[in-house]
Amino acid sequence: MPGASRYRDCDTVLLPAFPDQNEMRTWLERQNYLIDYTLAALLRRKTRNLGLLLVYTLLVFLFASVLLLSQGLRREAATLMQDAPELIVQKLNAGRHDLLPAAWLDTLRGIRGVSAVRGRLWGYYYDPAVKANYTLMVAPERGLTADAIMVGATLARVREVGVGDYLSLRAANGQPLPLKITALLDSTSELLSADLLLLSESAFHQLFQPPADTYTDAVLTVRNPREARTIAGKITLALPASRPILRAEILRTYDALFNWREGIVFLTLGTLLLAFLILAWDKAAGLSAEEKREIGILKAIGWETGDILRMKLWEGTLISLTAFLTGYALAYVQVFYGGARLFAPVLKGWAVLYPEFRLTPAVDLQQLLVLLAVTVLPYIVATLIPGWRAAIADPDAVMRG
Amino acid sequence: MLITPALVALHLIALCVSGALLLASGFAWTLLRHWDIASGSELQIRLERRTYLVSTLLGFVLGAELLSLLLFVHSAESLSSQFVGAMCATGVLNINAFGFPTLLLKIALFFLAALWLLLNRVDQQGHDYPLVRVKYALLLAIMPLALLELLLQSAYFLGLKPEVITSCCGSLFSAEGQGAAAELAGWPVRPALLAFYGMAGLLLGSGAALWRWPALGALFAAISGLTFVVAIAAIIAFLSLYVYENPNHHCPFCLLKAGYDYVGYALYLPLFAATAAGLGAGLLAPCRHIASLRRVMPGEMRWLTGVALAGFGAFYVLATALILRSNLILLG
């Protein structure tokens, strides 16, 4: 056992003080020998420690998966919302969303600080063939002809259609409306375009037959984004039946939603944490006869209670570090490269036409702090007292058994 | 109430810290009444053994408080998107009356735990544990603060009510938030700069004097504490302005963001370590007369003074570099 023999050389120094450089070096050497000894001792009881390490790693893995996935989703939502309009105005009728009269656009343009106003036409279409809702949107900037449409990649996959095929939708009057697919939407924007179908204004009118001179809602561009809130206030004064929605509010709602889901999953994992702590306590408290004898011998050859305690702390630190790094790395791979299958249904939400997308890998300091606080910290608490109990044992009592 | 992993973790830390300190203070009470180093009774031996556990527990408390301090500021920062009018951590901490008191208590607990550990370090070097009663009396003073922190933090988190769109048809445009981001009052730049660098001079002078006359420990500790307060005030009054290059942005927390190269960590870590060492030097200065510590005390005092001066030095050098590098002109 090389660790133990090397340790004996330095056990004459008893104080962990390092006011000057020389003592600092002795202190560092001392820790080095302690780690050396602890590692050797851990390896001697491989199977026993491996079990604990596995459970510990699994615990870190589960917590880290939740944190990484929900943070990834939050970031994805925030990135997407960057290009969303600063302000959306809807018309309300008896508290419900109603179509917005075209005359409103002029009133909105008249508000100081608003640089551009555009009426949007969009709606949902239920397709019984795939039992899913599509989002239909008029895209004047794409220059589509009356019967041309563009569809999202997921939609095309589910309906098994491609460029040049016809997609027949049922219009509001019951007549079928055949529309020709002229292009598929870029799959890089799949999060936005999974269920999206772009069409021309005339096709939209044929399909849904809305009243003339109405829009679904209006989007506003604001010259100074900081004024958005004031402008929203002015809009509610000018058009009392309107409901302005700020981009910041949508973002806040997304944040709150993901935070809440994440928190709930976290709390459910709390029971697991408790079980793990009981296991860790039990493992640390139930020393085998062999370990007890070992501590007795160490104390008999001159180790102090403080040294044994320090060794126990190093043991906890080494196990925690290994479990933490392995668990975090596994979670990282699982979330960013393995499709995050584990918690996705809970955290992401669910839909028939759910987009497939890959999250951008990132490591966040706050996340690491949270993970340390919920896994390593309780582990240390659980093993502190049993470790101390082992350290204060009398050498003769334990050696006699 | 909000449920986010960071808040769950902060609750967990506060519970662990309070639990550990409660356990330790139960022991401290027995020790204060029955400690007698000359006795060889079974109780005395049990007490001596327990001191190992308590010092380990306090080491744990120090680490946990540091973690909790960082996490608290970070989570306040990340929650700022949830509250109307809150731009960063300052706004979120201002949401109710418990935010800033919780933060201040966390800082106080960090320093107290650090002082306790310094006291413990010196005490263990004397063969007769000469400081044991001081140590455990201090422990009894720390414990209620930890419980208060737990209470204040819970009150703060329970009072957080984010304004979100609750349903797609019901809610109206949310009203402007009140009172949030009440910016910490700015101090005119010229006197602030004078006070800031004046403290550096005082500190250097008292540090040098302490090296010569160990009796001046209390003075050095007082100046260290004052320097800490002035340094935080200076960060709010002008240093943050220089870093952000914006004459109206006073936040001491945004410095910790990636956008400013995490410069806050480089500023705060040496500042906190130096303050703890400076306060420690003052606390330990009277111990030099204790017979069993006479041999180790000069070394300890030199070490603590050295750490304090090095830490404050690093802080001042970085602060000056930040001011000189900045494109913002506040004086001129």
Side-chain angles (χ1 to χ4, degrees):
Chain A
M1 199 174 43
S5 59
R6 270 172 62 196
Y7 181 77
R8 233 175 282 138
D9 298 336
C10 83
D11 66 1
T12 45
V13 185
L14 292 174
L15 304 171
F18 40 82
D20 64 45
Q21 232 182 357
N22 219 358
E23 281 182 54
M24 174 86 173
R25 200 177 320 125
T26 333
W27 185 83
L28 282 177
E29 268 175 20
R30 200 181 156 81
Q31 302 305 315
N32 187 13
Y33 290 129
L34 273 174
I35 295 174
D36 203 16
Y37 176 81
T38 313
L39 264 181
L42 281 173
L43 288 176
R44 256 179 289 130
R45 285 181 285 275
K46 256 189 233 102
T47 39
R48 191 186 140 91
N49 291 314
L50 210 63
L52 181 73
L53 192 67
L54 273 180
V55 180
Y56 201 167
T57 309
L58 181 70
L59 186 84
V60 175
F61 169 76
L62 289 176
F63 276 108
S65 293
V66 177
L67 283 175
L68 284 169
L69 176 58
S70 54
Q71 196 213 10
L73 288 172
R74 237 187 335 253
R75 198 173 29 239
E76 206 73 18
T79 320
L80 284 175
M81 294 301 293
Q82 263 175 8
D83 302 325
E86 195 71 50
L87 198 58
I88 298 172
V89 178
Q90 295 181 341
K91 185 183 177 221
L92 290 186
N93 185 1
R96 305 287 294 181
H97 177 209
D98 195 11
L99 294 175
L100 182 132
W104 276 31
L105 299 186
D106 292 324
T107 318
L108 292 173
R109 270 184 207 109
I111 291 172
R112 194 182 289 240
V114 175
S115 57
V117 177
R118 190 166 59 84
R120 290 196 304 187
L121 281 169
W122 59 271
Y124 298 123
Y125 177 86
Y126 178 72
D127 187 354
V130 292
K131 297 190 177 63
N133 266 315
Y134 303 156
T135 305
L136 272 64
M137 193 161 194
V138 173
E141 71 281 358
R142 303 265 181 171
L144 294 165
T145 53
D147 69 338
I149 53 167
M150 293 167 82
V151 297
T154 316
L155 197 160
R157 203 164 45 235
V158 173
R159 275 296 295 249
E160 294 173 355
V161 288
V163 176
D165 289 343
Y166 275 88
L167 191 65
S168 185
L169 303 180
R170 196 163 167 271
N173 58 9
Q175 296 302 311
L177 178 70
L179 296 161
K180 189 180 180 188
I181 299 171
T182 55
L184 293 185
L185 292 165
D186 195 358
S187 64
T188 50
S189 64
E190 194 159 333
L191 198 55
L192 279 179
S193 63
D195 64 345
L196 190 64
L197 193 154
L198 296 181
L199 69 176
S200 65
E201 190 171 340
S202 63
F204 187 87
H205 279 280
Q206 277 181 55
L207 189 65
F208 292 117
Q209 297 169 359
D213 287 329
T214 53
Y215 290 101
T216 315
D217 57 19
V219 292
L220 274 64
T221 318
V222 175
R223 245 178 237 114
N224 178 0
R226 288 185 173 193
E227 284 178 2
R229 188 164 291 279
T230 321
I231 291 171
K234 285 185 188 169
I235 293 171
T236 40
L237 281 180
L239 301 164
S242 71
R243 172 168 69 161
I245 300 168
L246 290 169
R247 184 173 65 194
E249 286 183 326
I250 302 176
L251 253 175
R252 195 158 62 231
T253 309
Y254 267 116
D255 256 9
L257 178 73
F258 285 127
N259 271 342
W260 179 76
R261 283 181 181 173
E262 193 183 25
I264 295 295
V265 179
F266 231 68
L267 284 182
T268 7
L269 285 179
T271 46
L272 200 68
L273 180 69
L274 210 62
F276 168 71
L277 293 184
I278 295 171
L279 176 81
W281 174 287
D282 196 47
K283 281 254 177 193
L287 289 183
S288 65
E290 188 201 347
E291 275 174 288
K292 278 187 187 157
R293 205 170 44 244
E294 199 176 294
I295 289 173
I297 293 172
L298 287 174
K299 288 190 97 173
I301 60 169
W303 282 45
E304 288 210 334
T305 304
D307 295 324
I308 309 268
L309 202 57
R310 236 162 272 144
M311 178 193 82
K312 285 276 162 204
L313 283 180
W314 272 120
E315 190 182 300
T317 313
L318 289 173
I319 290 183
S320 295
L321 203 68
T322 317
F324 190 83
L325 291 179
T326 323
Y328 192 78
L330 285 176
Y332 190 88
V333 171
Q334 196 262 138
V335 169
F336 296 123
Y337 302 102
R341 304 211 187 280
L342 203 55
F343 289 107
V346 195
L347 291 171
K348 208 155 80 171
W350 174 89
V352 175
L353 291 183
Y354 211 94
E356 280 179 16
F357 58 95
R358 189 164 267 193
L359 298 165
T360 328
V363 176
D364 178 56
L365 181 69
Q366 189 192 340
Q367 212 176 62
L368 286 174
L369 292 177
V370 169
L371 209 53
L372 273 177
V374 296
T375 55
V376 176
L377 208 73
Y379 174 76
I380 293 176
V381 175
T383 50
L384 253 179
I385 294 178
W388 165 77
R389 282 241 163 86
I392 57 163
D394 278 330
D396 66 321
V398 285
M399 273 194 285
R400 280 194 208 116
Chain B
M1 182 190 167
L2 281 170
I3 302 176
T4 76
L7 303 198
V8 174
L10 280 166
H11 273 301
L12 198 66
I13 297 178
L15 284 173
C16 284
V17 165
S18 310
L21 282 175
L22 269 179
L23 198 72
S25 20
F27 167 65
W29 183 243
T30 329
L31 184 134
L32 282 177
R33 285 191 306 161
H34 301 293
W35 181 268
D36 174 16
I37 190 75
S39 154
S41 70
E42 199 184 334
L43 178 67
Q44 175 64 19
I45 290 174
R46 243 195 355 254
L47 288 178
E48 280 174 32
R49 279 180 178 166
R50 266 241 167 144
T51 55
Y52 285 104
L53 177 65
V54 175
S55 54
T56 318
L57 281 178
L58 260 286
F60 162 77
V61 167
L62 179 77
E65 276 305 321
L66 185 64
L67 185 68
S68 151
L69 192 61
L70 281 175
L71 195 56
F72 189 70
V73 173
H74 266 276
S75 53
E77 183 73 56
S78 67
L79 285 176
S80 58
S81 65
Q82 302 268 302
F83 297 92
V84 176
M87 299 289 213
C88 63
T90 314
V92 178
L93 290 176
N94 263 327
I95 282 175
N96 60 42
F98 302 109
F100 273 104
T102 310
L103 180 72
L104 293 178
L105 257 183
K106 277 184 197 295
I107 295 176
L109 268 174
F110 170 79
F111 281 133
L112 285 172
L115 286 180
W116 196 93
L117 286 172
L118 283 175
L119 214 56
N120 182 51
R121 210 176 100 94
V122 173
D123 184 46
Q124 285 186 341
Q125 297 182 50
H127 58 84
D128 56 349
Y129 299 107
L131 299 174
V132 79
R133 282 179 196 279
V134 185
K135 226 164 64 177
Y136 285 93
L138 178 62
L139 185 62
L140 285 182
I142 296 178
M143 195 269 294
L145 287 180
L147 291 183
L148 187 65
E149 189 216 331
L150 178 67
L151 284 179
L152 282 184
Q153 184 176 285
S154 305
Y156 173 62
F157 289 151
L158 288 172
L160 291 181
K161 297 209 168 45
E163 297 164 59
V164 296
I165 308 174
T166 46
S167 88
C168 59
C169 359
S171 100
L172 274 173
F173 167 69
S174 50
E176 181 86 47
Q178 290 283 318
E183 297 257 317
L184 284 164
W187 189 10
V189 179
R190 206 176 291 272
L193 262 170
L194 272 176
F196 183 61
Y197 284 104
M199 284 318 294
L202 266 178
L203 194 75
L204 210 60
S206 64
L210 181 66
W211 210 284
R212 192 77 212 264
W213 298 288
L216 294 175
L219 179 73
F220 184 66
I223 291 178
S224 294
L226 196 61
T227 310
F228 178 75
V229 176
V230 172
I232 298 289
I235 288 175
I236 296 168
F238 62 85
L239 199 55
S240 52
L241 306 185
Y242 279 117
V243 175
Y244 310 136
E245 303 189 343
N246 174 344
N248 295 313
H249 192 183
H250 287 280
C251 179
F253 307 111
C254 290
L255 291 168
L256 298 168
K257 282 188 190 170
Y260 304 104
D261 304 326
Y262 298 110
V263 72
Y265 289 99
L267 281 172
Y268 288 123
L269 289 179
L271 183 66
F272 273 71
T275 310
L279 294 175
L283 186 71
L284 292 177
C287 307
R288 67 189 186 285
H289 300 304
I290 297 170
S292 58
L293 294 177
R294 205 161 279 159
R295 192 179 58 83
V296 294
M297 273 317 289
E300 283 293 323
M301 289 298 288
R302 266 204 305 279
W303 179 65
L304 283 175
T305 322
V307 168
L309 288 179
F312 280 121
F315 172 77
Y316 269 97
V317 167
L318 181 61
T320 313
L322 288 173
I323 293 174
L324 294 178
R325 193 192 66 172
S326 175
N327 293 317
L328 182 76
I329 298 167
L330 284 177
L331 296 173

